């Protein structure tokens, strides 16, 4: 396509957007609103993913050994644990260490209540085991339970399952909401372009008789949709950026460990690309539908 | 050369037979009037020539090529071989005379240099170079039709199709416009004009093809307007 044709398409598209001022602005804000909601769900999704990853990193299982097991056997159990797949790390926590921990961290000033337990320690030796992947926790726990002299294996599978399920529900809900919003946005932009096609029907008719190609006639209408979609994306990005920045600032002091939100500079490029992509796709789709239905060249 | 061979056109939505068994040839450089009452099939012939619609049966040849068979994407290139003028001028109201004519060249991808040379030339041919900067609403009906003529001619078409070009003009202006058409024809452009203008047809004594209820009922060299049926 010659430079003139590109320039012509852009200048006509710009004119179309300006001529349909109110309708263009309405479309732009609708697309921006849709993208903002899409962005909110994307951010929630990204944060839930990050949270799940962190839980996975912290995923640990506690293995308790029968009372009276010899020190040699306890060490042997450690070696057997290390051989099991999905075990990243295992560290021994002796019953003496557990008693000390209980005295210092659980009973504090009332530690004397536990005095006398040194000779008849009620705790068991245990292993704190870090797993490679959260998803195979069930199988790993079964393997661990099979080891001789193991009293019980305690894991956080319920919490893990809950987070994973929540994450799945949020993802599915986000996808459904996004789909509905995208359809709404496409319909709205299609109506705006349809209005332009109607307003310019005489010009289109003349172009047809002069021998303008389909691409030449359709180009400006397609670009009109893209321009509205792109501007809507920029507007939505600014709103989401500002909103997330304010949220981070507000909850910043409350963020602890796994609950810490993803930084704004990690999220911004993803959101910007997502918005521009969807903005332009909405624009192209809306224009195409309109042209297919109302622009017979 | 244009040749219609057993052309039939039935409008699918209404079932109306607009043209039936049409057979005629038009040589390059001819001036042909299409006459007949409203709805007789004159406009259908011009629309078929421009592939605005396609035949139900038959073939239409333009310089040996059957234009009923060309794919849709080739239609713009077919239309570039033709210029078209309408009764209602169909000018772009927000553009000047120069821009209206220039636009036709831009659409087909002419260079700026070609445009700068050709547009004043064609405006001069229709006697409007001194009104190049005016908007269509500032012109009389005759002048607007001249702009439309200039736009149709600017890309040097082989054929000029005119659908009632004098329908909105007074007799004096109509004759002035016809003088321009005759001049264009003298330069070698084939002209096919659908018209109801009896005075013009009778005065110019060109070939007349009469259409009635979708049938070609008369094809006469140096003919007059009278309706056969």
């Amino acid at each position: 396509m010659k430079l003139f044709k590109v320039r012509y398409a852009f200048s006509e598209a710009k004119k179309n957007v300006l001529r349909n001022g109110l309708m263009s602005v309405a479309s732009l804000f609708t697309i921006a609103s849709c993208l903002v909601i899409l962005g909110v769900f994307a951010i929630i999704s990204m944060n839930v993913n990050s949270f799940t990853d962190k839980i996975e990193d912290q995923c640990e299982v506690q293995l308790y050994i029968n009372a009276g097991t010899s020190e040699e056997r306890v060490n042997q159990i450690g070696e057997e644990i290390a051989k099991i797949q999905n075990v990243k790390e295992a560290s021994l926590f002796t019953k003496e260490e557990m008693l000390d921990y209980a005295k210092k961290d659980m009973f504090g000033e009332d530690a004397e209540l536990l005095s006398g337990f040194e000779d008849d320690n009620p705790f068991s030796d245990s292993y704190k085991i870090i797993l490679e992947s959260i998803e195979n926790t069930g199988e790993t726990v079964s393997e661990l339970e099979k080891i001789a002299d193991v009293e019980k294996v305690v894991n956080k599978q319920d919490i893990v399952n809950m987070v994973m399920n929540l994450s799945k529900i949020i993802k599915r809900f986000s996808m459904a909401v996004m789909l509905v919003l995208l359809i709404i946005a496409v319909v709205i932009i299609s109506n705006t372009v349809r209005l332009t096609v109607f307003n310019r029907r005489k010009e289109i008719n003349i172009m047809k008789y002069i021998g303008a190609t389909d691409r030449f006639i359709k180009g400006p209408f397609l670009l009109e949709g893209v321009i509205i979609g792109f501007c809507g994306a920029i507007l939505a990005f600014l709103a989401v950026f500002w909103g997330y920045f304010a949220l981070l600032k507000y909850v910043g002091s409350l963020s602890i460990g796994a609950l810490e939100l993803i930084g704004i500079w990690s999220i911004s490029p993803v959101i910007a690309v997502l918005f521009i992509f969807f903005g332009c796709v909405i624009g192209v789709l809306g224009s195409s539908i309109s042209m297919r239905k109302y622009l017979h060249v | 050369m244009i040749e219609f061979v057993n052309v039939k056109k039935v409008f699918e939505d209404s079932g109306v037979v607009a043209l039936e068994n049409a057979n005629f040839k038009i040589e390059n450089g001819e001036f042909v009037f299409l006459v007949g009452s409203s709805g007789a099939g004159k406009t259908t012939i011009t629309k078929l020539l421009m592939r605005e619609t396609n035949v139900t049966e038959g073939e239409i040849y333009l310089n040996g090529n059957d234009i009923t068979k060309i794919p849709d994407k080739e239609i713009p290139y077919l239309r570039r071989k033709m210029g078209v003028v309408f009764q209602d001028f169909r000018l772009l109201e927000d553009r000047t005379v120069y821009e209206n004519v220039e636009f036709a060249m831009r659409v087909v991808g002419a260079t700026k240099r070609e445009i700068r040379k050709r547009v004043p030339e064609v405006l001069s041919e229709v006697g409007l170079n001194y009104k190049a900067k005016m908007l269509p609403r500032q012109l009389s009906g005759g002048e607007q039709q001249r702009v439309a003529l200039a736009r149709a001619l600017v890309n040097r078409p082989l054929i000029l199709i005119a659908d009632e070009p004098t329908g909105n003009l007074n007799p004096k202006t109509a004759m002035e416009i016809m003088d321009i058409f005759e001049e264009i024809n003298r330069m070698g452009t084939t002209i096919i004009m659908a018209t109801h203008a009896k005075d013009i047809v009778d005065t110019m004594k060109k070939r007349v093809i009469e259409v009635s209820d979708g049938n070609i009922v008369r094809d006469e060299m140096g003919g007059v307007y009278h309706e056969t049926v």
Side-chain angles (χ1 to χ4, degrees), chain A residues 54-79:
Chain A
K54 280 177 189 166
I55 287 194
E56 272 187 324
D57 287 346
Q58 292 171 5
C59 183
E60 60 180 54
V61 169
Q62 206 75 29
L63 178 142
Y64 294 94
I65 297 165
N66 287 332
T69 308
S70 69
E71 199 180 323
E72 194 189 349
R73 175 63 193 141
V74 168
N75 290 332
Q76 222 173 26
I77 290 172
E79 285 164 19

Short mmCIF file of all heavy atoms in Angstrom, two decimals, chain A residues 54-79:
data_model
loop_
_atom_site.label_atom_id
_atom_site.label_comp_id
_atom_site.label_asym_id
_atom_site.label_seq_id
_atom_site.Cartn_x
_atom_site.Cartn_y
_atom_site.Cartn_z
N LYS A 54 3.93 -18.89 46.12
CA LYS A 54 4.63 -18.70 47.40
C LYS A 54 4.28 -19.80 48.38
O LYS A 54 5.14 -20.30 49.11
CB LYS A 54 4.26 -17.33 47.98
CG LYS A 54 5.06 -16.22 47.33
CD LYS A 54 4.63 -14.89 47.87
CE LYS A 54 5.28 -13.79 47.04
NZ LYS A 54 4.65 -12.49 47.29
N ILE A 55 2.99 -20.20 48.39
CA ILE A 55 2.58 -21.29 49.28
C ILE A 55 3.31 -22.56 48.87
O ILE A 55 3.77 -23.33 49.71
CB ILE A 55 1.05 -21.50 49.21
CG1 ILE A 55 0.37 -20.36 49.95
CG2 ILE A 55 0.67 -22.83 49.83
CD1 ILE A 55 -1.07 -20.61 50.24
N GLU A 56 3.41 -22.73 47.55
CA GLU A 56 4.11 -23.92 47.06
C GLU A 56 5.55 -23.93 47.56
O GLU A 56 6.08 -24.95 47.97
CB GLU A 56 4.10 -23.95 45.52
CG GLU A 56 2.87 -24.63 45.00
CD GLU A 56 2.92 -24.80 43.50
OE1 GLU A 56 3.44 -23.92 42.80
OE2 GLU A 56 2.43 -25.83 43.04
N ASP A 57 6.18 -22.73 47.51
CA ASP A 57 7.56 -22.62 47.99
C ASP A 57 7.65 -22.97 49.46
O ASP A 57 8.64 -23.52 49.93
CB ASP A 57 8.07 -21.19 47.77
CG ASP A 57 8.35 -20.94 46.30
OD1 ASP A 57 8.39 -21.93 45.55
OD2 ASP A 57 8.49 -19.76 45.92
N GLN A 58 6.60 -22.57 50.20
CA GLN A 58 6.64 -22.79 51.65
C GLN A 58 5.99 -24.10 52.06
O GLN A 58 5.77 -24.35 53.23
CB GLN A 58 5.91 -21.64 52.34
CG GLN A 58 6.64 -20.32 52.21
CD GLN A 58 5.80 -19.17 52.70
OE1 GLN A 58 4.72 -19.37 53.23
NE2 GLN A 58 6.31 -17.96 52.54
N CYS A 59 5.65 -24.91 51.12
CA CYS A 59 4.89 -26.10 51.41
C CYS A 59 5.73 -27.11 52.21
O CYS A 59 6.73 -27.62 51.73
CB CYS A 59 4.43 -26.74 50.12
SG CYS A 59 3.42 -28.16 50.44
N GLU A 60 5.26 -27.31 53.40
CA GLU A 60 6.02 -28.23 54.25
C GLU A 60 5.11 -29.26 54.91
O GLU A 60 3.92 -29.03 55.07
CB GLU A 60 6.82 -27.45 55.30
CG GLU A 60 5.96 -26.62 56.22
CD GLU A 60 6.77 -25.86 57.25
OE1 GLU A 60 7.69 -25.13 56.85
OE2 GLU A 60 6.46 -26.00 58.45
N VAL A 61 5.74 -30.36 55.27
CA VAL A 61 5.03 -31.47 55.92
C VAL A 61 5.79 -31.81 57.19
O VAL A 61 7.02 -31.74 57.22
CB VAL A 61 5.02 -32.68 54.95
CG1 VAL A 61 4.55 -33.94 55.65
CG2 VAL A 61 4.15 -32.40 53.74
N GLN A 62 5.05 -32.13 58.25
CA GLN A 62 5.71 -32.47 59.53
C GLN A 62 5.56 -33.98 59.74
O GLN A 62 4.44 -34.51 59.70
CB GLN A 62 5.01 -31.69 60.65
CG GLN A 62 5.88 -31.42 61.86
CD GLN A 62 6.92 -30.33 61.63
OE1 GLN A 62 6.69 -29.43 60.83
NE2 GLN A 62 8.06 -30.44 62.30
N LEU A 63 6.70 -34.64 59.95
CA LEU A 63 6.66 -36.10 60.16
C LEU A 63 7.08 -36.41 61.60
O LEU A 63 8.15 -35.97 62.04
CB LEU A 63 7.61 -36.77 59.15
CG LEU A 63 7.74 -38.29 59.22
CD1 LEU A 63 7.84 -38.86 57.82
CD2 LEU A 63 8.96 -38.72 60.04
N TYR A 64 6.20 -37.09 62.34
CA TYR A 64 6.48 -37.40 63.75
C TYR A 64 6.87 -38.88 63.88
O TYR A 64 6.26 -39.75 63.27
CB TYR A 64 5.26 -37.10 64.62
CG TYR A 64 4.95 -35.61 64.65
CD1 TYR A 64 4.04 -35.05 63.75
CD2 TYR A 64 5.60 -34.77 65.57
CE1 TYR A 64 3.77 -33.69 63.76
CE2 TYR A 64 5.34 -33.41 65.57
CZ TYR A 64 4.42 -32.88 64.68
OH TYR A 64 4.17 -31.54 64.68
N ILE A 65 7.92 -39.09 64.73
CA ILE A 65 8.46 -40.46 64.88
C ILE A 65 7.98 -41.03 66.23
O ILE A 65 7.83 -40.28 67.21
CB ILE A 65 10.01 -40.41 64.83
CG1 ILE A 65 10.42 -39.89 63.42
CG2 ILE A 65 10.65 -41.75 65.12
CD1 ILE A 65 11.85 -39.45 63.34
N ASN A 66 7.72 -42.31 66.23
CA ASN A 66 7.24 -42.97 67.47
C ASN A 66 8.19 -42.69 68.64
O ASN A 66 9.42 -42.65 68.47
CB ASN A 66 7.19 -44.50 67.28
CG ASN A 66 6.01 -44.88 66.39
OD1 ASN A 66 4.99 -44.17 66.35
ND2 ASN A 66 6.16 -45.99 65.67
N ALA A 67 7.62 -42.50 69.84
CA ALA A 67 8.42 -42.27 71.04
C ALA A 67 9.28 -43.51 71.29
O ALA A 67 8.84 -44.64 71.04
CB ALA A 67 7.51 -42.00 72.23
N GLY A 68 10.47 -43.28 71.76
CA GLY A 68 11.35 -44.40 72.11
C GLY A 68 12.19 -44.91 70.96
O GLY A 68 12.95 -45.87 71.12
N THR A 69 12.06 -44.27 69.78
CA THR A 69 12.87 -44.71 68.64
C THR A 69 14.32 -44.26 68.86
O THR A 69 14.55 -43.12 69.30
CB THR A 69 12.33 -44.10 67.33
OG1 THR A 69 10.94 -44.38 67.25
CG2 THR A 69 13.04 -44.63 66.10
N SER A 70 15.24 -45.16 68.55
CA SER A 70 16.65 -44.83 68.82
C SER A 70 17.15 -43.71 67.90
O SER A 70 16.59 -43.47 66.82
CB SER A 70 17.50 -46.09 68.59
OG SER A 70 17.50 -46.38 67.20
N GLU A 71 18.20 -43.07 68.35
CA GLU A 71 18.78 -41.95 67.61
C GLU A 71 19.28 -42.42 66.24
O GLU A 71 19.12 -41.73 65.22
CB GLU A 71 19.94 -41.36 68.43
CG GLU A 71 20.29 -39.96 67.99
CD GLU A 71 21.44 -39.39 68.82
OE1 GLU A 71 21.49 -39.66 70.03
OE2 GLU A 71 22.29 -38.71 68.21
N GLU A 72 19.83 -43.62 66.23
CA GLU A 72 20.34 -44.20 64.99
C GLU A 72 19.21 -44.39 63.96
O GLU A 72 19.33 -44.06 62.79
CB GLU A 72 21.00 -45.55 65.31
CG GLU A 72 21.84 -46.08 64.19
CD GLU A 72 22.30 -47.53 64.46
OE1 GLU A 72 22.12 -48.00 65.59
OE2 GLU A 72 22.80 -48.14 63.51
N ARG A 73 18.08 -44.89 64.49
CA ARG A 73 16.91 -45.13 63.62
C ARG A 73 16.33 -43.79 63.11
O ARG A 73 15.93 -43.70 61.94
CB ARG A 73 15.85 -45.93 64.41
CG ARG A 73 14.55 -46.15 63.68
CD ARG A 73 14.70 -46.99 62.41
NE ARG A 73 13.51 -46.94 61.57
CZ ARG A 73 13.51 -46.89 60.27
NH1 ARG A 73 14.63 -46.88 59.58
NH2 ARG A 73 12.39 -46.87 59.60
N VAL A 74 16.37 -42.81 64.02
CA VAL A 74 15.86 -41.48 63.63
C VAL A 74 16.67 -40.95 62.44
O VAL A 74 16.12 -40.44 61.46
CB VAL A 74 15.90 -40.50 64.83
CG1 VAL A 74 15.65 -39.05 64.37
CG2 VAL A 74 14.89 -40.88 65.90
N ASN A 75 18.01 -41.10 62.52
CA ASN A 75 18.87 -40.64 61.42
C ASN A 75 18.60 -41.44 60.14
O ASN A 75 18.60 -40.89 59.04
CB ASN A 75 20.34 -40.76 61.81
CG ASN A 75 20.71 -39.73 62.88
OD1 ASN A 75 20.10 -38.66 62.94
ND2 ASN A 75 21.66 -40.07 63.73
N GLN A 76 18.35 -42.75 60.35
CA GLN A 76 18.05 -43.63 59.21
C GLN A 76 16.75 -43.17 58.51
O GLN A 76 16.67 -43.13 57.28
CB GLN A 76 17.84 -45.05 59.76
CG GLN A 76 18.48 -46.09 58.93
CD GLN A 76 18.38 -47.45 59.64
OE1 GLN A 76 17.47 -47.70 60.45
NE2 GLN A 76 19.34 -48.32 59.34
N ILE A 77 15.78 -42.81 59.35
CA ILE A 77 14.50 -42.32 58.79
C ILE A 77 14.77 -41.08 57.93
O ILE A 77 14.22 -40.92 56.83
CB ILE A 77 13.48 -42.02 59.92
CG1 ILE A 77 13.03 -43.34 60.57
CG2 ILE A 77 12.29 -41.22 59.40
CD1 ILE A 77 12.18 -43.18 61.82
N GLY A 78 15.66 -40.22 58.40
CA GLY A 78 16.04 -39.01 57.65
C GLY A 78 16.55 -39.36 56.26
O GLY A 78 16.18 -38.72 55.27
N GLU A 79 17.38 -40.41 56.21
CA GLU A 79 17.91 -40.84 54.91
C GLU A 79 16.81 -41.39 54.01
O GLU A 79 16.78 -41.13 52.80
CB GLU A 79 18.99 -41.92 55.13
CG GLU A 79 20.30 -41.35 55.65
CD GLU A 79 21.22 -42.42 56.23
OE1 GLU A 79 21.03 -43.61 55.92
OE2 GLU A 79 22.13 -42.04 57.00
#
